[in-house]
Amino acid sequence: MLLIACPYCGERAETEFSYGGEAGIARPKDPHALSDEQWADYLFMRKNSRGMHRELWNHAQGCRRWFEVERDTVSYVIKECYEIATPATSRDNQSRAD
Amino acid sequence: MKKYSAFSLLRNAFSHNRDWPEAWRSPEPKPEYDVIIVGGGGHGLATAYYLAKEHGARNIAVVEKGWIGGGNTGRNTTIVRSNYLWTEASLLYEKSMQLWEGLSQDLNFNVMFSQRGVYNLGHSLQDMRDIERRVGANRLNGIDAEVVTAAQIKKAIPIINTSPAARYPILGASLQRRAGVARHDAVAWGFARAADALGVDIIEQCEVTGINRENGRVTGVETTRGSIRARKVGVVVAGNATVLADMAELRLPIESHPLQALVSEPMKPVLDTVVMSNAVHGYISQSDKGELVIGAGIDAYNGYGQRGSFQTIEHTLEAIIELFPVLSRVRMLRMWGGIVDICPDACPIISKMPVGGLYFNCGWGTGGFKATPGSGWVFAHTIARDEPHDLNAPFDLRRFETGALIDEHGAAAVAH
Ligand SMILES: Cc1cc2nc3c(=O)[nH]c(=O)nc-3n(C[C@H](O)[C@H](O)[C@H](O)COP(=O)(O)OP(=O)(O)OC[C@H]3O[C@@H](n4cnc5c(N)ncnc54)[C@H](O)[C@@H]3O)c2cc1C
Ligand SMILES: [Zn+2]
């Protein structure tokens, strides 16, 4: 079981959290301007990194806030937990959809 | 290939089983092949076999980073069924079912396919409506399916708890009698041996590290044992699909998750069929050795670690004990994890890619073992003809752009 450090509450067991998938995917500002390919990329295509992965977690049974985690998907070791990066472009591994 | 038979068993018994020939060669990679299959799981080996057998291709290699069958093929709970909801999916899985029914003879290798039936339990009125709908859909597609009552289930499976006082009472089930289980390792070995006999090179301990391309066409692969040229490359690497797609700068809608299973100590026969429940999330069968084979759910997070969390195991065992209180004191012997390639619509991608001569077969997620022969059969067709077979045309990667998804989540009792 992972030990996750909620930036608001501190370290808690994984079972208190729910997982939100890849972080940093910004909803396109004008969906109508996108081609089907770009829309599919935003909706469905994922980095699914083998190695360091930037992802969203929600402290569902605690403060109920969303935050970001950087975690190694092979060793499962968590490198860092932090408040959601705002704006989403402030970190480099962006989804291509935005 | 030396044919296996009762006679060969007897003859080799007299020589103390010292003279059995190797089941497949371990050749050095050639500099060039017509087709390279990346991934020596059941699907990759079946693809190579049907390429050679049905399409007359001869110069084929299967390149596997570890040992064949060491991925999800050797880690799954071996449930085989074809009672999916949507026509596209049920026809694909039914093709596979028909191949299973003749597979041991075709491969001259006993894959121990045992059609012992699969029950998908319903625990609520909504479950039962979904089951009736799915059974109806299956029958319209010519697939055997029945709705059975709680009393019929109790009669067939005496150790199951059908008490109405249960927390999630069993109201009924769908039953596919032709469904069952098979021996996973034997499936990998049988396809490997039969493919090898048709001239396929099976190259183990050889990891693909790059996909070479020129002018929008694939030209070969880089591996830990050097570069190999190829006119066509078919990728079937389950949980590592995204890693291979990255090598060709392509994006996939796949996410990799750990999926676990466990077996108990061996015991006398108590369960002669397969029981699955989506609502409480557990599934169970008993192996010929007597072990209870139990499958868990996926861990929520993306993972490549071939192991999952204890709470997932605990959750599964709670479900099993809910269904079979009599098993509460059985000890578990081993647990392990595989990495499954989850697709948004819970259906596979068997598709040409935007790079010429490159094909991907992935997204089988938690339920691709049952599809092993059929998946290989349609993928071989797709690679040989450079166009999909009617059966896999709906499973093109472009469905995520057109929106023609095949939603097998939930309604189809899709767990495995
Ligand atoms: C615990 C568990 C239970 C399951 N239960 C069921 C079930 O009951 N019924 C069912 O139908 N399905 C089940 N499944 C799903 C099923 O196991 C898979 O869908 C199926 O086996 C996939 O087969 P495959 O040949 O595509 O993959 P694999 O057997 O995983 O083969 C892929 C191969 O590719 C190799 N590879 C990866 N990267 C590279 C590289 N870079 N170079 C070379 N080779 C590479 C791997 O080493 C591996 O051997 C289960 C899975 C798990 C994990
Ligand atoms: Zn918190």
Side-chain angles (χ1 to χ4, degrees):
Chain A
M1 191 184 302
L2 304 176
L3 193 58
I4 300 174
C6 170
Y8 310 101
C9 311
E11 283 190 340
R12 300 293 176 85
E14 180 192 336
T15 43
E16 288 190 17
F17 298 86
S18 58
Y19 182 64
E22 181 180 325
I25 301 174
R27 187 181 167 85
K29 287 210 172 57
D30 181 8
H32 294 289
L34 300 188
S35 67
D36 287 350
E37 190 189 347
Q38 289 168 320
W39 184 243
D41 195 274
Y42 159 69
L43 276 186
F44 297 121
M45 303 299 160
R46 294 294 177 264
K47 286 201 192 79
N48 192 26
S49 321
R50 186 184 170 112
M52 210 44 86
H53 190 237
R54 198 182 133 208
E55 58 199 25
L56 291 168
W57 286 83
N58 179 262
H59 195 182
Q61 294 176 40
C63 64
R64 308 195 60 193
R65 293 217 258 181
W66 286 96
F67 60 96
E68 287 188 22
V69 173
E70 263 184 63
R71 186 179 58 91
D72 188 312
T73 58
V74 180
S75 67
Y76 303 163
V77 170
I78 292 174
K79 190 176 143 212
E80 211 186 331
C81 302
Y82 47 88
E83 292 180 30
I84 287 189
T86 42
T89 44
S90 66
R91 289 183 179 243
D92 47 12
N93 50 351
Q94 268 294 299
S95 149
R96 283 204 312 219
D98 40 15
Chain B
M1 182 170 93
K2 285 252 165 54
K3 205 165 181 307
Y4 294 158
S5 62
F7 178 68
S8 74
L9 260 183
L10 195 68
R11 199 188 44 210
N12 280 285
F14 283 121
S15 56
H16 301 281
N17 289 312
R18 275 183 309 237
D19 301 331
W20 286 106
E22 60 181 3
W24 58 88
R25 299 160 297 131
S26 300
E28 283 300 311
K30 290 190 223 158
E32 177 161 6
Y33 290 94
D34 291 341
V35 184
I36 290 179
I37 303 297
V38 184
H43 289 223
L45 295 162
T47 306
Y49 171 68
Y50 290 116
L51 267 170
K53 184 186 171 221
E54 308 266 333
H55 303 278
R58 278 298 172 268
N59 194 21
I60 309 169
V62 176
V63 177
E64 162 57 47
K65 76 171 172 185
W67 63 94
I68 61 164
N72 292 345
T73 297
R75 293 164 188 264
N76 74 87
T77 48
T78 76
I79 298 171
V80 174
R81 59 188 181 86
S82 63
N83 54 351
Y84 282 66
L85 175 67
W86 298 105
T87 299
E88 295 87 342
S90 59
L91 294 185
L92 181 63
Y93 289 101
E94 178 59 21
K95 169 72 194 174
S96 202
M97 178 67 86
Q98 287 167 10
L99 290 169
W100 277 114
E101 287 176 329
L103 199 60
S104 292
Q105 293 301 325
D106 186 28
L107 300 179
N108 179 233
F109 202 105
N110 187 1
V111 299
M112 296 167 74
F113 181 47
S114 158
Q115 293 176 294
R116 59 184 69 180
V118 170
Y119 290 82
N120 291 101
L121 302 178
H123 301 264
S124 65
L125 288 177
Q126 187 57 48
D127 278 0
M128 290 314 295
R129 283 185 206 114
D130 289 342
I131 282 172
E132 275 164 33
R133 177 185 179 206
R134 179 162 47 80
V135 165
N138 290 157
R139 291 180 152 194
L140 288 173
N141 282 322
I143 294 167
D144 73 302
E146 291 162 50
V147 181
V148 291
T149 62
Q152 286 171 300
I153 297 170
K154 183 73 186 170
K155 189 150 179 264
I157 311 166
I159 62 167
I160 203 165
N161 177 19
T162 51
S163 156
R167 184 160 168 205
Y168 301 103
I170 294 169
L171 301 186
S174 74
L175 167 61
Q176 184 179 23
R177 292 187 194 270
R178 284 162 67 238
V181 292
R183 166 113 198 264
H184 45 14
D185 297 322
V187 174
W189 300 335
F191 273 116
R193 175 166 166 273
D196 177 90
L198 295 173
V200 173
D201 280 1
I202 294 164
I203 303 164
E204 295 175 274
Q205 306 292 338
C206 181
E207 179 172 356
V208 171
T209 54
I211 297 177
N212 297 330
R213 289 148 294 146
E214 244 168 59
N215 305 322
R217 267 204 75 82
V218 75
T219 57
V221 294
E222 292 299 322
T223 77
T224 46
R225 290 169 70 174
S227 332
I228 315 176
R229 289 191 306 278
R231 294 197 301 112
K232 293 179 175 179
V233 174
V235 178
V236 215
V237 294
N240 282 293
T242 311
V243 178
L244 272 287
D246 285 346
M247 294 177 193
E249 292 163 77
L250 298 168
R251 302 248 295 160
L252 290 177
I254 300 281
E255 294 195 90
S256 302
H257 291 267
L259 177 67
Q260 302 177 86
L262 61 168
V263 294
S264 74
E265 58 192 341
M267 59 175 85
K268 289 273 167 64
V270 287
L271 186 63
D272 63 358
T273 182
V274 183
V275 178
M276 314 177 61
S277 166
N278 266 14
V280 299
H281 208 127
Y283 43 102
I284 183 166
S285 65
Q286 189 172 20
S287 74
D288 294 343
K289 257 195 286 180
E291 302 156 327
L292 297 172
V293 181
I294 298 170
I298 60 170
D299 273 293
Y301 51 72
N302 294 51
Y304 284 89
Q306 289 190 321
R307 62 201 156 76
S309 334
F310 286 114
Q311 75 266 17
T312 310
I313 293 288
E314 192 179 359
H315 182 71
T316 297
L317 291 178
E318 281 167 1
I320 295 298
I321 290 177
E322 168 80 18
L323 299 175
F324 301 99
V326 66
L327 301 180
S328 68
R329 287 182 310 281
V330 173
R331 281 166 301 187
M332 293 299 143
L333 210 58
R334 285 179 287 129
M335 58 189 267
W336 62 88
I339 297 302
V340 294
D341 38 345
I342 302 288
C343 205
D345 58 357
C347 274
I349 297 164
I350 314 167
S351 182
K352 291 171 68 167
M353 299 302 276
V355 174
L358 183 63
Y359 311 85
F360 266 67
N361 183 349
C362 57
W364 291 97
T366 60
F369 176 71
K370 63 178 71 64
T372 304
S375 160
W377 195 88
V378 295
F379 199 41
H381 180 106
T382 308
I383 295 172
R385 308 276 180 91
D386 194 35
E387 63 182 23
H389 189 274
D390 283 349
L391 284 174
N392 70 305
F395 298 90
D396 196 282
L397 179 59
R398 273 168 312 197
R399 73 178 185 269
F400 297 96
E401 287 172 29
T402 62
L405 304 189
I406 306 157
D407 184 8
E408 281 291 345
H409 272 298
V414 80
H416 299 281

